[in-house]
Short mmCIF file of all heavy atoms in Angstrom, two decimals:
data_model
loop_
_atom_site.label_atom_id
_atom_site.label_comp_id
_atom_site.label_asym_id
_atom_site.label_seq_id
_atom_site.Cartn_x
_atom_site.Cartn_y
_atom_site.Cartn_z
N TYR B 32 7.42 -7.09 -2.62
CA TYR B 32 7.93 -5.92 -3.35
C TYR B 32 6.82 -4.94 -3.72
O TYR B 32 7.07 -4.01 -4.51
CB TYR B 32 8.70 -6.39 -4.59
CG TYR B 32 10.03 -7.02 -4.24
CD1 TYR B 32 10.16 -8.40 -4.05
CD2 TYR B 32 11.16 -6.23 -4.06
CE1 TYR B 32 11.37 -8.96 -3.69
CE2 TYR B 32 12.38 -6.79 -3.69
CZ TYR B 32 12.47 -8.15 -3.51
OH TYR B 32 13.68 -8.71 -3.15
N PRO B 34 5.56 -2.35 -2.20
CA PRO B 34 5.80 -0.92 -1.98
C PRO B 34 6.65 -0.23 -3.05
O PRO B 34 6.73 1.00 -3.07
CB PRO B 34 6.53 -0.87 -0.63
CG PRO B 34 6.24 -2.18 0.02
CD PRO B 34 6.13 -3.16 -1.09
N PHE B 35 7.25 -1.02 -3.95
CA PHE B 35 8.25 -0.45 -4.84
C PHE B 35 7.80 -0.42 -6.29
O PHE B 35 6.91 -1.18 -6.71
CB PHE B 35 9.55 -1.25 -4.72
CG PHE B 35 10.07 -1.31 -3.31
CD1 PHE B 35 9.91 -2.45 -2.55
CD2 PHE B 35 10.69 -0.21 -2.75
CE1 PHE B 35 10.37 -2.52 -1.25
CE2 PHE B 35 11.14 -0.25 -1.43
CZ PHE B 35 10.98 -1.41 -0.69
N ASN B 36 8.42 0.47 -7.05
CA ASN B 36 8.09 0.65 -8.47
C ASN B 36 8.84 -0.40 -9.31
O ASN B 36 9.83 -0.11 -9.95
CB ASN B 36 8.48 2.07 -8.89
CG ASN B 36 8.11 2.35 -10.35
OD1 ASN B 36 7.19 1.73 -10.88
ND2 ASN B 36 8.82 3.28 -10.96
N VAL B 37 8.33 -1.62 -9.25
CA VAL B 37 8.99 -2.73 -9.92
C VAL B 37 7.95 -3.73 -10.39
O VAL B 37 6.90 -3.89 -9.74
CB VAL B 37 10.02 -3.42 -8.98
CG1 VAL B 37 9.34 -4.02 -7.79
CG2 VAL B 37 10.83 -4.46 -9.72
N ASP B 38 8.20 -4.37 -11.49
CA ASP B 38 7.29 -5.40 -12.04
C ASP B 38 7.83 -6.76 -11.62
O ASP B 38 8.92 -7.17 -12.05
CB ASP B 38 7.22 -5.28 -13.55
CG ASP B 38 6.34 -6.36 -14.17
OD1 ASP B 38 5.48 -6.90 -13.46
OD2 ASP B 38 6.50 -6.63 -15.37
N ASN B 48 18.58 -6.21 -18.84
CA ASN B 48 19.54 -5.11 -18.71
C ASN B 48 20.04 -5.04 -17.27
O ASN B 48 19.78 -5.96 -16.48
CB ASN B 48 18.91 -3.78 -19.17
CG ASN B 48 17.67 -3.42 -18.36
OD1 ASN B 48 17.62 -3.63 -17.16
ND2 ASN B 48 16.67 -2.86 -19.03
N SER B 49 20.73 -3.97 -16.94
CA SER B 49 21.35 -3.90 -15.60
C SER B 49 20.32 -3.70 -14.48
O SER B 49 20.69 -3.76 -13.31
CB SER B 49 22.38 -2.76 -15.57
OG SER B 49 21.73 -1.51 -15.74
N ARG B 50 19.07 -3.47 -14.86
CA ARG B 50 18.01 -3.29 -13.86
C ARG B 50 16.96 -4.41 -13.96
O ARG B 50 15.81 -4.22 -13.61
CB ARG B 50 17.38 -1.91 -14.02
CG ARG B 50 18.39 -0.77 -13.74
CD ARG B 50 17.74 0.58 -13.90
NE ARG B 50 16.59 0.76 -13.04
CZ ARG B 50 16.68 1.04 -11.73
NH1 ARG B 50 17.87 1.14 -11.16
NH2 ARG B 50 15.61 1.19 -11.02
N THR B 51 17.38 -5.56 -14.46
CA THR B 51 16.53 -6.73 -14.53
C THR B 51 17.11 -7.82 -13.64
O THR B 51 18.13 -8.43 -13.97
CB THR B 51 16.42 -7.27 -15.96
OG1 THR B 51 16.05 -6.20 -16.84
CG2 THR B 51 15.38 -8.36 -16.05
N ALA B 52 16.48 -8.04 -12.49
CA ALA B 52 16.92 -9.13 -11.61
C ALA B 52 16.25 -10.41 -12.07
O ALA B 52 15.09 -10.40 -12.53
CB ALA B 52 16.56 -8.83 -10.16
N TYR B 77 24.55 -13.14 -5.40
CA TYR B 77 25.55 -12.11 -5.13
C TYR B 77 24.88 -10.89 -4.49
O TYR B 77 23.70 -10.61 -4.73
CB TYR B 77 26.26 -11.69 -6.42
CG TYR B 77 27.28 -12.71 -6.91
CD1 TYR B 77 26.93 -13.61 -7.88
CD2 TYR B 77 28.56 -12.72 -6.40
CE1 TYR B 77 27.84 -14.54 -8.35
CE2 TYR B 77 29.49 -13.65 -6.86
CZ TYR B 77 29.13 -14.56 -7.82
OH TYR B 77 30.05 -15.47 -8.27
N VAL B 78 25.67 -10.17 -3.69
CA VAL B 78 25.15 -9.01 -2.93
C VAL B 78 25.50 -7.72 -3.63
O VAL B 78 26.65 -7.51 -4.07
CB VAL B 78 25.71 -9.02 -1.49
CG1 VAL B 78 25.19 -7.82 -0.70
CG2 VAL B 78 25.32 -10.31 -0.77
N ASN B 79 24.49 -6.83 -3.75
CA ASN B 79 24.70 -5.45 -4.21
C ASN B 79 25.23 -5.36 -5.64
O ASN B 79 26.10 -4.56 -5.93
CB ASN B 79 25.61 -4.68 -3.25
CG ASN B 79 25.43 -3.18 -3.36
OD1 ASN B 79 24.36 -2.70 -3.72
ND2 ASN B 79 26.46 -2.45 -3.04
N VAL B 80 24.67 -6.19 -6.53
CA VAL B 80 25.08 -6.13 -7.92
C VAL B 80 24.01 -5.55 -8.86
O VAL B 80 24.28 -5.28 -10.02
CB VAL B 80 25.47 -7.55 -8.40
CG1 VAL B 80 26.74 -8.01 -7.71
CG2 VAL B 80 24.35 -8.56 -8.17
N PHE B 81 22.81 -5.37 -8.34
CA PHE B 81 21.71 -4.83 -9.16
C PHE B 81 22.07 -3.44 -9.66
O PHE B 81 22.55 -2.58 -8.90
CB PHE B 81 20.42 -4.78 -8.34
CG PHE B 81 19.23 -4.27 -9.10
CD1 PHE B 81 18.39 -5.12 -9.79
CD2 PHE B 81 18.92 -2.91 -9.10
CE1 PHE B 81 17.29 -4.66 -10.48
CE2 PHE B 81 17.81 -2.43 -9.78
CZ PHE B 81 17.00 -3.31 -10.48
N GLY B 82 21.85 -3.19 -10.96
CA GLY B 82 22.07 -1.88 -11.54
C GLY B 82 23.50 -1.58 -11.91
O GLY B 82 23.78 -0.49 -12.43
N THR B 83 24.42 -2.51 -11.67
CA THR B 83 25.81 -2.28 -12.02
C THR B 83 26.07 -2.67 -13.47
O THR B 83 25.32 -3.46 -14.07
CB THR B 83 26.75 -3.07 -11.12
OG1 THR B 83 26.54 -4.48 -11.32
CG2 THR B 83 26.49 -2.75 -9.65
N LEU B 84 27.14 -2.17 -14.03
CA LEU B 84 27.49 -2.47 -15.42
C LEU B 84 27.81 -3.95 -15.60
O LEU B 84 27.68 -4.48 -16.71
CB LEU B 84 28.69 -1.61 -15.85
CG LEU B 84 28.44 -0.09 -15.94
CD1 LEU B 84 29.73 0.62 -16.30
CD2 LEU B 84 27.34 0.22 -16.95
N PHE B 86 26.30 -6.47 -13.91
CA PHE B 86 25.24 -7.29 -13.32
C PHE B 86 25.04 -8.60 -14.10
O PHE B 86 24.74 -9.65 -13.54
CB PHE B 86 23.94 -6.49 -13.24
CG PHE B 86 22.83 -7.15 -12.44
CD1 PHE B 86 23.10 -8.13 -11.51
CD2 PHE B 86 21.51 -6.77 -12.64
CE1 PHE B 86 22.07 -8.72 -10.76
CE2 PHE B 86 20.49 -7.37 -11.92
CZ PHE B 86 20.76 -8.33 -10.98
N GLU B 113 16.74 -13.84 -1.92
CA GLU B 113 17.89 -13.82 -2.85
C GLU B 113 17.88 -12.58 -3.73
O GLU B 113 18.93 -11.99 -4.01
CB GLU B 113 17.93 -15.10 -3.68
CG GLU B 113 18.02 -16.39 -2.90
CD GLU B 113 19.20 -16.46 -1.92
OE1 GLU B 113 20.15 -15.67 -2.08
OE2 GLU B 113 19.15 -17.29 -1.01
N ALA B 114 16.69 -12.16 -4.18
CA ALA B 114 16.61 -10.91 -4.94
C ALA B 114 17.03 -9.74 -4.06
O ALA B 114 17.66 -8.77 -4.53
CB ALA B 114 15.19 -10.71 -5.47
N GLY B 115 16.71 -9.82 -2.76
CA GLY B 115 17.13 -8.79 -1.81
C GLY B 115 18.64 -8.69 -1.74
O GLY B 115 19.20 -7.57 -1.63
N HIS B 116 19.35 -9.81 -1.81
CA HIS B 116 20.81 -9.77 -1.84
C HIS B 116 21.28 -8.99 -3.07
O HIS B 116 22.17 -8.13 -2.95
CB HIS B 116 21.38 -11.19 -1.91
CG HIS B 116 21.47 -11.88 -0.58
ND1 HIS B 116 21.86 -11.25 0.57
CD2 HIS B 116 21.20 -13.17 -0.24
CE1 HIS B 116 21.86 -12.12 1.58
NE2 HIS B 116 21.45 -13.30 1.11
N ASN B 117 20.74 -9.27 -4.24
CA ASN B 117 21.11 -8.54 -5.44
C ASN B 117 20.96 -7.04 -5.23
O ASN B 117 21.76 -6.22 -5.77
CB ASN B 117 20.27 -8.96 -6.63
CG ASN B 117 20.70 -10.28 -7.26
OD1 ASN B 117 20.04 -10.76 -8.19
ND2 ASN B 117 21.77 -10.88 -6.78
N LEU B 118 19.94 -6.65 -4.48
CA LEU B 118 19.62 -5.23 -4.25
C LEU B 118 20.48 -4.60 -3.16
O LEU B 118 20.38 -3.40 -2.91
CB LEU B 118 18.15 -5.07 -3.91
CG LEU B 118 17.19 -5.32 -5.07
CD1 LEU B 118 15.77 -5.58 -4.57
CD2 LEU B 118 17.18 -4.13 -6.03
N GLY B 119 21.31 -5.42 -2.50
CA GLY B 119 22.22 -4.86 -1.51
C GLY B 119 21.97 -5.26 -0.07
O GLY B 119 22.62 -4.72 0.84
N LEU B 120 21.05 -6.18 0.17
CA LEU B 120 20.68 -6.54 1.56
C LEU B 120 21.53 -7.69 2.07
O LEU B 120 21.86 -8.63 1.35
CB LEU B 120 19.20 -6.92 1.62
CG LEU B 120 18.22 -5.85 1.14
CD1 LEU B 120 16.79 -6.33 1.34
CD2 LEU B 120 18.44 -4.53 1.86
N SER B 121 21.82 -7.61 3.39
CA SER B 121 22.58 -8.64 4.07
C SER B 121 21.65 -9.45 4.98
O SER B 121 20.49 -9.10 5.20
CB SER B 121 23.69 -8.00 4.91
OG SER B 121 24.58 -7.26 4.08
N GLN B 169 20.62 -2.78 9.23
CA GLN B 169 20.49 -2.21 7.88
C GLN B 169 19.04 -1.90 7.58
O GLN B 169 18.14 -2.69 7.83
CB GLN B 169 21.03 -3.22 6.84
CG GLN B 169 20.94 -2.75 5.41
CD GLN B 169 21.42 -3.81 4.41
OE1 GLN B 169 21.38 -5.00 4.72
NE2 GLN B 169 21.90 -3.38 3.26
N ASP B 170 18.79 -0.72 7.02
CA ASP B 170 17.44 -0.28 6.67
C ASP B 170 17.07 -0.90 5.32
O ASP B 170 17.40 -0.37 4.26
CB ASP B 170 17.39 1.25 6.60
CG ASP B 170 15.99 1.80 6.46
OD1 ASP B 170 15.12 1.13 5.87
OD2 ASP B 170 15.74 2.91 6.97
N ASP B 171 16.38 -2.05 5.36
CA ASP B 171 16.05 -2.76 4.13
C ASP B 171 15.27 -1.89 3.16
O ASP B 171 15.57 -1.87 1.94
CB ASP B 171 15.21 -4.02 4.42
CG ASP B 171 16.01 -5.11 5.10
OD1 ASP B 171 17.24 -4.95 5.26
OD2 ASP B 171 15.40 -6.14 5.47
N LEU B 172 14.25 -1.21 3.64
CA LEU B 172 13.39 -0.41 2.75
C LEU B 172 14.17 0.70 2.07
O LEU B 172 14.03 0.90 0.86
CB LEU B 172 12.21 0.15 3.53
CG LEU B 172 11.23 -0.83 4.13
CD1 LEU B 172 10.21 -0.12 5.04
CD2 LEU B 172 10.49 -1.58 3.01
N ALA B 173 14.99 1.42 2.82
CA ALA B 173 15.77 2.49 2.24
C ALA B 173 16.77 1.96 1.23
O ALA B 173 17.01 2.59 0.18
CB ALA B 173 16.48 3.28 3.35
N THR B 174 17.35 0.81 1.52
CA THR B 174 18.33 0.21 0.60
C THR B 174 17.67 -0.16 -0.72
O THR B 174 18.19 0.14 -1.80
CB THR B 174 18.96 -1.03 1.25
OG1 THR B 174 19.61 -0.64 2.47
CG2 THR B 174 20.00 -1.64 0.31
N ILE B 175 16.50 -0.81 -0.64
CA ILE B 175 15.79 -1.20 -1.87
C ILE B 175 15.34 0.05 -2.63
O ILE B 175 15.49 0.12 -3.86
CB ILE B 175 14.59 -2.11 -1.55
CG1 ILE B 175 15.04 -3.40 -0.90
CG2 ILE B 175 13.78 -2.41 -2.81
CD1 ILE B 175 13.91 -4.27 -0.38
N ALA B 176 14.77 1.01 -1.90
CA ALA B 176 14.27 2.22 -2.55
C ALA B 176 15.39 2.99 -3.23
O ALA B 176 15.14 3.73 -4.20
CB ALA B 176 13.54 3.10 -1.54
N GLY B 177 16.61 2.83 -2.74
CA GLY B 177 17.74 3.50 -3.37
C GLY B 177 18.09 2.90 -4.72
O GLY B 177 18.79 3.52 -5.52
N LYS B 178 17.58 1.70 -4.97
CA LYS B 178 17.84 1.03 -6.24
C LYS B 178 16.65 1.05 -7.19
O LYS B 178 16.83 1.21 -8.41
CB LYS B 178 18.22 -0.43 -5.98
CG LYS B 178 19.46 -0.63 -5.13
CD LYS B 178 20.71 -0.21 -5.87
CE LYS B 178 21.96 -0.40 -5.04
NZ LYS B 178 22.23 -1.81 -4.72
N ILE B 179 15.44 0.92 -6.69
CA ILE B 179 14.29 0.82 -7.60
C ILE B 179 13.18 1.82 -7.28
O ILE B 179 12.20 1.86 -7.98
CB ILE B 179 13.70 -0.60 -7.64
CG1 ILE B 179 13.30 -1.07 -6.23
CG2 ILE B 179 14.69 -1.56 -8.25
CD1 ILE B 179 12.69 -2.48 -6.23
N SER B 180 13.29 2.60 -6.22
CA SER B 180 12.37 3.66 -5.82
C SER B 180 11.01 3.11 -5.37
O SER B 180 10.62 1.99 -5.71
CB SER B 180 12.14 4.68 -6.93
OG SER B 180 11.25 4.20 -7.93
N TYR B 181 10.32 3.91 -4.58
CA TYR B 181 8.97 3.56 -4.13
C TYR B 181 7.97 3.78 -5.26
O TYR B 181 8.19 4.59 -6.16
CB TYR B 181 8.56 4.42 -2.94
CG TYR B 181 9.21 4.03 -1.64
CD1 TYR B 181 10.24 4.79 -1.09
CD2 TYR B 181 8.77 2.91 -0.93
CE1 TYR B 181 10.84 4.44 0.11
CE2 TYR B 181 9.37 2.54 0.27
CZ TYR B 181 10.39 3.31 0.78
OH TYR B 181 10.98 2.96 1.97
N ARG B 182 6.86 3.07 -5.21
CA ARG B 182 5.78 3.29 -6.14
C ARG B 182 5.05 4.57 -5.79
O ARG B 182 5.14 5.08 -4.65
CB ARG B 182 4.79 2.11 -6.10
CG ARG B 182 4.02 1.98 -4.79
CD ARG B 182 3.21 0.71 -4.73
NE ARG B 182 2.13 0.75 -5.71
CZ ARG B 182 1.54 -0.36 -6.20
NH1 ARG B 182 1.92 -1.56 -5.78
NH2 ARG B 182 0.56 -0.24 -7.05
#
Side-chain angles (χ1 to χ4, degrees):
Y32 288 93
F35 304 103
N36 182 26
V37 62
D38 178 21
N48 59 38
S49 65
R50 296 180 58 78
T51 308
Y77 285 97
V78 179
N79 201 28
V80 292
F81 180 90
T83 64
L84 294 176
F86 189 22
E113 301 305 342
H116 278 320
N117 282 177
L118 290 161
L120 302 183
S121 300
Q169 180 182 26
D170 189 329
D171 289 356
L172 295 172
T174 301
I175 297 173
K178 299 290 180 65
I179 56 179
S180 78
Y181 285 104
R182 67 188 293 158

